[in-house]
């Protein structure tokens, strides 16, 4: 009898380790992403000559008007193939010359949006974006050829490809695929869509900005087709003065929601794509520069940037020319499509996980001041079957330790001193897919 009981317990433990169908499907998602389709789309987008936000909107073969109509048509085609599973529309805002020094004339900034509604939580949105627009050396020049093959036809093609792959599946949360305009003139497309999301009261789980995902040869001479960067800022711009003051005593200087999203992606890649080398960069963006995730972070949404690790500045924001033996210009020949496929797959598996996962726990509180044990409690998540507590050394960039604690809303970590680590809580779904980690927002005794 004792042997039988031991055997049953052992089998139960074994079954708990068996991946769910959704976890197994993540590998299929990686395989389904096509470098050939991404290449075809990059060539199509680069073929519009220039996609400057203020370029031709009438022509069917040149300018941003033709580009955004083609992108919308691709999303419409994808939707038709999945039985109308995408809501495809334009979202636009009017910009005028007095709104910035990079605006040569008044015009509409038009985004292309495709929403794949979730079956259970349609207002929970996980978003992937690429930029539609391109630029020449002079950002005010909207007539000179600016193919923008890597910056950012690569990110836009990756977003379309992710929609092709993921639209064949069902998710409890919604996925939004977006082509944004006005990036080169001051992030106007992202700003407009972020404000639209706020007005519609979307619960944005995460915003994944893809800006340049196709170059493997850096200006520094490094060639690497596995490494990529995840940019995220440490804290939330919307934090109150009280929250900022609290960090002096409780920590959390590198634990804002965008940083948690970066850690989530890093862990996902290490787990499902171990051949890749994700590099978390503790900065909003490149030094002194910006991207379309910033407007989302500005409004309190988790927003990160995914991009190549080694940039080549001779191929960014440059007129096509040759000087001193150097070929300038962002042309198709410089894009590495197998690499763009890999970074598209990175996005796709994280979109899928966040769309399958429960929402992250709210109101996580921590206790254990001048005690031997760390204590945590949190609000129940309706679609979670259990929770996992994470902790790490205060100097570690990643969540290195974890414990599954079951379907409870409070737990004590015996003999783990609160002073020496940072802590967080994730919700676990029935399929084993986890939410992002929530960092404590309060304390208790």
């Amino acid at each position: 009898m004792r042997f039988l009981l031991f055997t049953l317990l052992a089998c139960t433990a074994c079954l708990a380790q068996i991946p769910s169908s959704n976890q197994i499907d993540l590998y299929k998602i990686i395989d389904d992403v096509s470098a050939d389709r991404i290449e075809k789309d990059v060539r199509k987008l680069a073929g519009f000559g220039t996609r400057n936000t203020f370029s031709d909107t009438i022509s069917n073969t040149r300018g941003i008007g033709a580009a955004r109509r083609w992108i919308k048509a691709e999303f419409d085609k994808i939707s038709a193939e999945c039985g109308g599973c995408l809501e495809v529309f334009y979202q636009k805002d009017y910009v005028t010359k007095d709104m910035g020094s990079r605006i040569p004339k008044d015009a509409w900034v038009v985004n292309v949006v495709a929403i794949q509604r979730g079956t259970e939580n349609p207002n929970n949105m996980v978003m992937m974006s690429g930029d539609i627009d391109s630029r020449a050396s002079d950002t005010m020049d909207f007539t000179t050829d600016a193919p923008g093959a890597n910056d950012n036809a690569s990110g836009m093609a990756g977003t379309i490809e992710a929609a092709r792959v993921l639209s064949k599946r069902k998710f409890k949360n919604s996925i939004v695929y977006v082509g944004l305009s006005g990036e080169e003139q001051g992030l106007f497309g992202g700003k407009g869509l972020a404000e639209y999301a706020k007005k519609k009261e979307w619960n944005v789980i995460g915003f994944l900005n893809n800006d340049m995902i196709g170059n493997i040869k850096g200006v520094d001479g490094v060639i690497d087709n596995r490494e990529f960067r995840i940019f995220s800022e440490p804290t939330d711009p919307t934090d109150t003065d009280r929250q900022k003051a609290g960090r002096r005593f409780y920590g959390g200087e590198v634990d804002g929601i965008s940083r948690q999203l970066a850690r989530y992606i890093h862990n996902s890649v290490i787990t499902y794509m171990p051949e890749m080398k994700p590099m978390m960069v503790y900065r909003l963006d490149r030094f002194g520069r910006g991207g379309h995730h910033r407007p989302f972070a500005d409004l309190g949404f988790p927003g990160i940037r995914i991009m190549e690790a080694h940039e080549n500045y001779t191929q960014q924001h440059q007129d096509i020319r040759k000087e001193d033996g150097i070929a300038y210009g962002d042309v198709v020949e410089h894009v590495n499509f197998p690499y763009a496929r890999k970074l598209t797959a990175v996005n796709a598996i994280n979109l899928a996980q966040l769309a399958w996962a429960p929402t992250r726990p709210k109101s996580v509180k921590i206790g254990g001041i001048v005690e031997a044990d760390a204590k945590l409690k949190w609000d129940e998540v309706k679609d979670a079957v259990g929770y996992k507590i994470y902790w790490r050394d205060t100097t570690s960039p990643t969540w290195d330790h974890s414990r599954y604690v079951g379907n409870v809303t409070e737990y004590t970590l015996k003999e783990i001193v609160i002073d020496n680590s940072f802590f967080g809580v994730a919700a676990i779904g029935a399929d084993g897919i986890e939410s992002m980690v929530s960092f404590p927002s309060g304390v208790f005794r």
Side-chain angles (χ1 to χ4, degrees):
M1 182 66 180
R2 182 178 297 175
F3 176 77
L4 177 60
L5 179 60
F6 175 80
T7 302
L8 289 172
L9 289 173
C11 290
T12 301
C14 291
L15 288 171
Q17 301 303 312
I18 296 175
S20 69
S21 58
N22 284 346
Q23 290 171 315
I24 293 171
D25 193 33
L26 292 169
Y27 295 105
K28 181 68 164 56
I29 288 172
I30 295 168
D31 291 341
D32 285 351
V33 177
S34 166
D36 290 340
R37 289 195 296 260
I38 291 172
E39 177 177 0
K40 182 179 178 181
D41 290 350
V42 168
R43 291 187 180 278
K44 180 67 176 182
L45 287 163
F48 289 113
T50 177
R51 301 187 308 280
N52 186 292
T53 297
F54 300 92
S55 60
D56 195 322
T57 61
I58 305 301
S59 170
N60 287 322
T61 57
R62 183 177 179 83
I64 195 165
R68 67 192 180 216
R69 287 191 292 274
W70 176 79
I71 292 167
K72 184 177 183 299
E74 287 300 300
F75 282 142
D76 284 334
K77 186 188 303 182
I78 294 167
S79 183
E81 292 173 355
C82 62
C85 72
L86 300 182
E87 302 169 20
V88 184
F89 60 93
Y90 294 122
Q91 183 274 319
K92 61 183 182 179
D93 293 278
Y94 199 65
V95 299
T96 57
K97 292 177 65 175
D98 61 354
M99 293 172 64
S101 60
R102 292 186 175 187
I103 302 176
K105 62 179 180 177
D106 299 355
W108 287 101
V109 172
V110 182
N111 300 320
V112 186
V113 183
I115 303 176
Q116 183 178 348
R117 291 284 178 182
T119 57
E120 297 179 24
N121 309 308
N123 204 50
N124 288 351
M125 308 287 189
V126 54
M127 307 174 72
M128 177 182 180
S129 77
D131 299 325
I132 303 173
D133 58 312
S134 65
R135 58 164 286 185
S137 295
D138 179 2
T139 189
M140 302 289 276
D141 178 359
F142 52 84
T143 59
T144 297
D145 276 359
N150 189 43
D151 184 14
N152 185 29
S154 65
M156 188 68 251
T159 302
I160 295 170
E161 178 64 7
R164 291 192 186 103
V165 172
L166 297 181
S167 61
K168 296 177 172 61
R169 295 161 168 86
K170 299 292 186 182
F171 302 94
K172 65 170 66 174
N173 302 315
S174 297
I175 302 177
V176 186
Y177 314 96
V178 185
L180 297 171
S181 298
E183 193 265 350
E184 301 290 3
Q185 282 70 36
L187 312 178
F188 287 103
K191 185 175 184 293
L193 186 61
E195 291 174 348
Y196 178 89
K198 197 80 169 180
K199 182 179 179 181
K200 293 291 185 179
E201 298 183 338
W202 288 359
N203 176 30
V204 179
I205 300 169
F207 182 85
L208 281 58
N209 171 34
N210 285 255
D211 195 346
M212 292 185 287
I213 61 170
N215 184 68
I216 65 170
K217 184 177 181 180
V219 70
D220 56 1
V222 175
I223 301 174
D224 192 311
N225 66 354
R226 297 184 185 276
E227 194 169 39
F228 69 97
R229 293 177 288 182
I230 310 168
F231 287 94
S232 65
E233 60 186 315
T235 56
D236 308 331
T238 57
D239 280 350
T240 64
D241 289 341
R242 182 174 182 178
Q243 288 171 313
K244 294 173 184 176
R247 284 197 289 268
R248 294 187 66 194
F249 303 97
Y250 307 128
E253 297 87 348
V254 292
D255 278 282
I257 51 175
S258 293
R259 184 60 50 79
Q260 302 304 346
L261 177 58
R263 290 192 178 103
Y264 188 94
I265 294 168
H266 183 278
N267 182 65
S268 171
V269 173
I270 295 299
T271 302
Y272 293 101
M273 298 179 68
E275 72 278 11
M276 297 302 288
K277 298 184 291 185
M279 178 199 307
M280 283 197 297
V281 183
Y282 275 25
R283 185 181 287 133
L284 171 65
D285 210 307
R286 284 92 33 91
F287 196 88
R289 304 171 74 180
H292 259 145
H293 56 298
R294 176 183 171 181
F296 282 82
D298 286 344
L299 294 183
F301 298 130
I304 56 92
R305 176 178 184 148
I306 293 174
M307 70 174 299
E308 62 209 26
H310 304 285
E311 296 181 67
N312 195 319
Y313 307 124
T314 64
Q315 297 158 21
Q316 297 175 15
H317 304 172
Q318 297 285 345
D319 291 345
I320 301 173
R321 66 193 191 281
K322 193 166 187 177
E323 289 181 5
D324 300 325
I326 299 174
Y328 291 85
D330 189 357
V331 295
V332 171
E333 288 70 27
H334 298 312
V335 179
N336 185 285
F337 300 106
Y339 179 69
R341 187 201 75 81
K342 293 175 185 176
L343 294 199
T344 298
V346 166
N347 281 268
I349 62 171
N350 280 285
L351 292 173
Q353 288 174 93
L354 289 168
W356 276 322
T359 55
R360 62 190 182 93
K362 302 294 184 183
S363 300
V364 176
K365 292 182 172 56
I366 191 166
I369 300 172
V370 296
E371 296 182 33
D373 310 322
K375 308 171 185 177
L376 292 111
K377 62 181 180 181
W378 54 91
D379 291 347
E380 182 181 6
V381 177
K382 68 171 185 178
D383 47 354
V385 299
Y387 302 88
K388 186 182 286 188
I389 293 177
Y390 283 89
W391 68 98
R392 69 181 199 273
D393 291 347
T394 59
T395 55
S396 175
T398 54
W399 293 111
D400 303 316
H401 314 289
S402 66
R403 181 177 299 175
Y404 179 72
V405 298
N407 192 12
V408 298
T409 56
E410 58 182 290
Y411 192 83
T412 298
L413 292 167
K414 294 289 187 181
E415 298 182 358
I416 297 179
V417 178
I418 192 175
D419 296 330
N420 300 334
S421 303
F422 287 141
F423 301 84
V425 182
I428 315 296
D431 56 3
I433 303 292
E434 298 183 19
S435 74
M436 284 167 48
V437 172
S438 288
F439 193 78
S441 57
V443 297
F444 69 95
R445 293 185 182 273

